[in-house]
Amino acid sequence: MGSPRHNNSRELTIYDIAAEAGVSASTVSRVLTNSARVNEDKKIRVLEIIDKYNFKPNTFAKGLIDAKSRTIGILMADIRDPYYASMFIACEQAARKENYSVTLYNFLGDVELEECLLRKLQEQRVDAAILLGGRDDELNTDITYVETINSALSTIPTVITGRLDGTDCNMVRINHMRSMDLLMDHLLSLGHSRIAVLGGRMEVLSTFEKVARFKQILKRNRLTFEPDLIGQNGMYDIDSGYTHMNRILEKGLAPTAVIAVNDHAALGIMQSLREHGLKIPDDISVASCDNTYLAASSYPKLTSIDYNYAEYGALLVQTAIHKIDRQPVERLQLIDPALIIRESSGKAKKTT
């Protein structure tokens, strides 16, 4: 193969080296900066050519090689959900304050699309990635997905809001057990002793943690656990809350209070109660998690767990930037929730 410097008036570039080595210019950049893993054979070819021509990138060229995109990629379950919309806005605002921009992709529950978008983030050379929702929320880590993460994002620091064993991802998560502590303390203080927990799936880490804590609190307070008052074989939408509440009421198992897995499920629960002629909170109290705009705009206004979205988004972005800058940061950080009390929860109805 001939020398790429056939014209001595032109200075050798990383593109010339890439052409002779049969690799991409980005691979040459990674070898020069030692910024990521490179296939050993490719690395050897690049280093041989660098040595062959005694190549030394000038200051300007090196600046281009080392330059960051100052972009953080966000891969999200579904921005149409008020929870995810709130999270995206919080991340975007936090990134802007740090002179970063964000790129958003929604995979909408499509597993194949999620993997495709992971690879696209790598191709776009974002400086870091934040994953909101998806399979990192699963209780049991999927090995195949871990391999996909490790492959697709091997060169990109990644922050997740769930858990992925077997990866180097940093985790910024809500303290879901604390959420249940706050809800139960509130309802127990109002005299409630027969409480239902409805919505979601037990295969999802956050739902599992909430239900597990709920059972612990019942036992601690010597209250009976009633399996029929648990409904986690559905989803996180209005229909799921509506269906679960209908099932309980039609069995004659009306509790004095209901905890919904999120605000969407709470709306379905409230609809079911109204259709059965029950008043909220006079007959049955309702409380929820997420504290999206749905909570403040429902009737009655919904008592809900707030995650301090601004703080949550800022911590996700700060963690990503720390990883970009190779600064030490804790592998797991928890966001403490707060309870926002509104009109949907009240004193337990006295039974005769």
Side-chain angles (χ1 to χ4, degrees), residues 173-183 210 289-290 304-308 311 334-340:
R173 292 169 44 198
I174 299 160
N175 189 339
H176 293 292
M177 291 192 174
R178 178 59 180 159
S179 297
M180 186 55 71
D181 288 342
L182 293 171
L183 288 166
K210 289 170 186 171
C289 297
D290 285 2
S304 190
I305 288 290
D306 183 77
Y307 302 137
N308 192 343
E311 177 187 344
L334 294 177
I335 292 289
D336 282 327
L339 179 65
I340 307 300

Side-chain angles (χ1 to χ4, degrees), residues 243-307:
T243 300
H244 280 306
M245 196 70 246
N246 281 342
R247 173 185 58 81
I248 288 176
L249 295 176
E250 288 162 7
K251 285 186 175 182
L253 301 173
T256 62
V258 181
I259 294 174
V261 71
N262 66 1
D263 293 341
H264 268 124
L267 295 183
I269 290 166
M270 296 165 80
Q271 180 182 344
S272 172
L273 293 175
R274 283 192 290 267
E275 290 180 1
H276 284 82
L278 296 168
K279 295 181 179 180
I280 307 167
D282 296 346
D283 296 314
I284 297 181
S285 288
V286 180
S288 178
C289 297
D290 285 2
N291 195 38
T292 64
Y293 72 84
L294 298 174
S297 58
S298 66
Y299 180 78
K301 293 182 180 179
L302 184 61
T303 292
S304 190
I305 288 290
D306 183 77
Y307 302 137

Side-chain angles (χ1 to χ4, degrees), residues 193-204:
S193 59
R194 196 162 193 241
I195 302 169
V197 181
L198 304 179
R201 297 182 294 113
M202 287 295 283
E203 294 83 6
V204 174

Side-chain angles (χ1 to χ4, degrees), residues 3 29-30 73 99 115 170 175 202 216 218 228 247 250 293 350:
S3 166
S29 295
R30 289 196 289 269
N99 197 28
E115 293 184 3
N170 283 72
N175 189 339
M202 287 295 283
Q216 290 175 349
L218 289 181
D228 284 335
R247 173 185 58 81
E250 288 162 7
Y293 72 84
K350 293 182 180 179

